[in-house]
Amino acid sequence: MKCVKFPMLLTSVPIWAFAAAYTHAETTENNLADSGQTTIEEIAVVGSRRDGRSVLDAPVPVDVIGDSEMKSQGSSDMLDVLTNVVPSYNVSREPISDAGTLVRPANLRGMPADNTLVLVNGKRRHRGAVIGEFVAGVNKGAQGVDISPLPGIAMKQVEVLRDGAAAQYGSDAIAGVLNFVLADDPEARQIQVRSGQYFEGDGAISEISGLFGTHLGQDGFATLAFEIKDTEATSRGIQDPGAQALVDAGNTSVPDPVVIWGTPEITNDYKIFLNSAMEVGNGSEVYAFGNFATRDTDGSFFYRHPHGRTGVFKNPDDGNLLVADLTPDGSGDCPTISLTGVDNVLNDPVYQDQVANNPNCFAFNELYPGGFTPRFGGTVTDSSFAAGIRGEWSNGMTYDFSASAGRSELDYTIYNSVNASYGPNSPSSFDLGSQIQFERMANADFSYPVAISGLASDLNVAFGFQYHKEQFEIIAGQTESFAPGGFEDQGFSIGSNGFQGFSDDVAGTFNRDSYAGYLDLEADITDSFLVSGAMRFEEFDDFGSTFDGKLAARLDLTDWMSLRAAASTGFKAPTVGQSSLRRASTSFEDGQLIEALVVPPTNAVAQFKGGEQLQPEESTSLSIGTVISAGFVDLTIDYFKINVDDRIALTEAGITEDDRAELLAMGNAEAQTISQIQFFVNDFDTETQGVDIVASAPFESSAGFTDFTLAYNWTDTKVVNRGQTVSEARAEELEDFLPEHRATFTVNHSIGMWNAMVRTNYYGETLELLFNDPTLPVKTGSIVLVDAEVSAQLNDTFQVGIGAKNLFDTYPDKHEYGDQPGFLGAVYPLNSPAGLNGGFYYVSLDAQF
């Protein structure tokens, strides 16, 4: 088979970024007779340190998603694109989960979001700033990469390496690797316009994107991609029965619905990506690429009932209406008003006479007579830049020297809320502060072929070094978002209600440095037997060192059938955010002021409760499969098994009075007010196994060209050691949160100017704990969704299309709690990978000049 390189792009990837596995995406340039169809064998950048080979020649499974396939997904969001075409890839929806709403977590092969390494042009991409403290399922506590800033139009292809690869790439590559390869065509002149909305009439999405290229020198290029997008909110809940009871009792200030369950509103969504390379003589090339993106998110929080929200409307001591005495000396003589059995306190004559019309007394029912629902969100800003020089010396050794930096910033805001301790002087909107993840890297990578007698190929020897600096920063919010306002001693809660701002005490900057070296060897022992191996040593200045290795092999049994296998060890280093996060919240409990803290595990108070320096999650991975290429069908079947020990979890512990006295005696002054602490610990082990099946069959007839593609995944996870922080309910959610069975079957047909696509998506059963409450398990049955699209190439310039995601407007089954008071009108599972929004239709226009 002829090997094909991407001009000037294959060498743009640093040597360390290539796995000891080959990759592919399906084709040699074969013109299919009379069909007008051309299949092109795409060589993926991620994979081998030698010249690329097709995926069907790979010792481990790799998916390659080309730009044409990305265009037919009905969405430009890379999370949705990958979910549609990679069955072992699932994305949580997270309609209300604090910061998880701003950065949606994604999962490959049943692993958490931060167990998949993400590359752009082969360079490690920085993490997002979100730590999923309140998200559901397997992502709880994870700090993964934010993929949303990557616009689809900027991509040449996306490569998904589905195999443990930490021995080649370093931390995080337990489940596999995603490599986003940027467009590199200097002749690109493209504009895409897309608009659509859900069948329910809401959730409209409008976007315009473009890609433009130019030549740099004789053989260089530069491309600039952009995307501008707005996403309206959706609402798929009902009115909370408890709120409806207020309306029935005459309260006219209650919103309908009080909580909006659905996709948050996303505005000012701008993305820019630059990619460039240029020859500079002597066989050398300089390259640079980078991005800038920003978006504003506005989503719903839980409803604050005007009779039930303790610390705002309800007295924590006796359960009566919480009324503030506004007089300086406490002489206001404010009334006691019982809320027991009250349908609408606004109708109570004592409330009207002695509170609402009394300048000495105040209740938040005066400001929010129908209660309130905080609106939470903020601005996500993402930027990165990488540059380097690569080439080949006269002795045949290739080199790549590079440096890169990436930054993710989340500026949190909340409005339609209160800091109740400020009483009537409370603001209604708050700047909550920021979290910032900032990473810098430097790499030196080399590769050299060594001729060895008896081998069918040269022995490719690759080695290199990496320096990685990680920084996590917390910036304090405005004072009113966390400080007491003076009425806290009367029972009013402290901090912006719903999400307390970061205080000056928890703000700070935390750093970690790591150094790595690797060695990779690869050769064809015979014409039909390939062997590769890699090892990597990495030193971290907080927890110590790691050493991992990998072996992979491929044996061609016949011209059309091969076996492939790989075994490796891997790790996921605890993130600087997990090791350093500090966050405070204050509330009343049993009539007492309660301060809870998320603290670093090395904090003295955490250590008193068993906390210690976080260690890496450690994994062993095994994969074995077969590849069949019988002419009429390409088929791959791969079994995988991933064992992960010492997985990181968020625990909590109470502080007793005896604990407090001992901590104070040890000099820990912060123990004076702390009543509960949370911190991350290495605490449980899992075993995940599964099977991936991918089949592709092209068919040509007088009616045109048809391609049939089937992709199926079975993944099963077991918690084999629960530790102390994982309850039985939590263990069950970890095992069943993601569908055990996932499949897609796609039929793509082309004839003349027309192209039609139909895709069937199957999601197996799932389980989630509603509101993260272990007493509220929600089991969701299997579901089938159908997508369809028809497009027409009008001429050499314009292509138009119309399509639908979830064509038959299918919803998951409603759960059993939705019509009960206190469940806030949430009637559908909140985190089903199949979603809860129903059908979505869209139209598109693509112009290439």
Side-chain angles (χ1 to χ4, degrees), residues 264-349:
E265 181 184 34
I266 303 175
T267 57
N268 300 315
D269 190 354
Y270 306 113
K271 305 168 187 176
I272 298 174
F273 236 113
L274 170 72
N275 187 31
S276 63
M278 183 175 66
E279 291 188 1
V280 291
N282 298 320
S284 298
E285 182 182 60
V286 296
Y287 59 90
F289 58 90
N291 83 292
F292 177 81
T294 184
R295 64 184 186 273
D296 296 332
T297 301
D298 181 2
S300 179
F301 259 11
F302 296 119
Y303 173 57
R304 275 59 177 164
H305 194 288
H307 296 172
R309 186 63 177 189
T310 300
V312 181
F313 297 110
K314 183 177 179 180
N315 194 306
D317 291 330
D318 52 26
N320 294 323
L321 184 70
L322 186 54
V323 180
D325 186 335
L326 303 181
T327 62
D329 57 0
S331 60
D333 194 24
C334 297
T336 297
I337 301 175
S338 174
L339 294 174
T340 303
V342 175
D343 293 329
N344 183 3
V345 73
L346 303 180
N347 295 331
D348 188 302

Side-chain angles (χ1 to χ4, degrees), residues 206-245:
S206 301
E207 64 180 83
I208 180 171
S209 57
L211 175 66
F212 298 92
T214 187
H215 293 272
L216 293 181
Q218 182 176 356
D219 297 311
F221 72 91
T223 59
L224 179 67
F226 73 88
E227 180 183 285
I228 303 172
K229 182 177 181 181
D230 276 329
T231 303
E232 295 182 0
T234 63
S235 179
R236 295 295 180 270
I238 62 173
Q239 179 64 297
D240 174 48
Q244 185 60 47

Side-chain angles (χ1 to χ4, degrees), residues 420-497:
S421 67
Y422 279 75
N425 301 316
S426 172
S428 60
S429 61
F430 302 86
D431 171 9
L432 303 173
S434 306
Q435 290 177 192
I436 301 172
Q437 177 77 14
F438 183 36
E439 300 182 32
R440 286 155 283 183
M441 296 185 65
N443 291 277
D445 306 285
F446 309 91
S447 181
Y448 186 70
V450 178
I452 297 180
S453 177
L455 295 182
S457 72
D458 291 340
L459 173 66
N460 195 76
V461 180
F463 60 96
F465 309 94
Q466 175 187 289
Y467 166 71
H468 188 191
K469 185 175 186 65
E470 302 169 78
Q471 179 177 293
F472 183 76
E473 182 178 5
I474 301 173
I475 297 177
Q478 70 182 83
T479 301
E480 294 88 347
S481 71
F482 61 83
F487 290 94
E488 61 277 2
D489 57 350
Q490 296 188 40
F492 289 88
S493 61
I494 299 171
S496 45
N497 200 275

Side-chain angles (χ1 to χ4, degrees), residues 401-423:
F401 300 102
S402 64
S404 61
R407 187 176 188 271
S408 172
E409 178 175 352
L410 274 69
D411 302 318
Y412 296 114
T413 58
I414 196 169
Y415 68 95
N416 201 42
S417 181
V418 297
N419 181 340
S421 67
Y422 279 75

Side-chain angles (χ1 to χ4, degrees), residues 112 114-115 131-135 137-143 572-575 577-579 581 598-601 606 610-617 644-653 677-686 719 721-727 730-731 734:
D114 53 5
N115 277 198
I131 301 172
E133 301 165 69
F134 302 103
V135 300
V138 299
N139 295 303
K140 190 174 183 64
Q143 185 183 3
K572 198 284 289 187
T575 71
Q578 290 171 330
S579 299
L581 181 66
V598 176
V599 297
E612 58 185 9
Q613 173 64 56
L614 290 176
Q615 298 299 312
E617 299 179 352
V644 185
D645 295 336
D646 299 326
R647 284 180 59 167
I648 294 173
L650 186 64
T651 187
E652 64 181 40
I677 61 169
Q678 290 183 293
F679 51 91
F680 286 97
V681 293
N682 296 97
D683 196 53
F684 68 102
D685 306 334
T686 59
V719 177
N721 178 10
R722 286 207 330 233
Q724 298 181 358
T725 65
V726 179
S727 66
R730 168 71 173 141
L734 286 165

